[in-house]
Amino acid sequence: MDIRVVFARNLKHYRQACGLTQAALAAAMEVDRAHVSAMERGQQNVTLQTLQRLATHLDVAPAKLIEELSELE
């Protein structure tokens, strides 16, 4: 599976598990909500720094955001 699709699915899953809206996550990261939306649709390549910031805000290990998890499929 394409890593962007895996990342997008995991990002949305962990964001929702934290009870955050796209707007709330975007505000916490000081980015536009459209940027979060693009990441969740697999349309945005992210840097390692962005991956780390997301993981911090979602309270997960960065690896969890790129790991293929069957329970999310």
Side-chain angles (χ1 to χ4, degrees):
M1 182 179 290
D2 185 323
I3 188 81
R4 289 172 297 183
V5 173
V6 171
F7 171 77
R9 182 178 296 160
N10 290 350
L11 174 57
K12 184 174 183 176
H13 169 79
Y14 288 115
R15 176 183 59 77
Q16 290 175 335
C18 287
L20 295 172
T21 63
Q22 287 181 347
L25 180 57
M29 293 186 62
E30 298 180 349
V31 299
D32 192 80
R33 186 209 53 83
H35 185 65
V36 174
S37 176
M39 288 188 286
E40 285 190 2
R41 289 181 281 123
Q43 296 179 336
Q44 182 71 43
N45 285 321
V46 299
T47 65
L48 292 174
Q49 290 173 325
T50 300
L51 180 71
Q52 177 65 53
R53 287 179 64 211
L54 285 165
T56 298
H57 287 290
L58 298 174
D59 197 30
V60 298
K64 291 288 187 185
L65 293 172
I66 58 172
E67 182 178 52
E68 283 193 55
L69 301 173
S70 59
E71 67 266 16
L72 298 180
E73 296 182 356

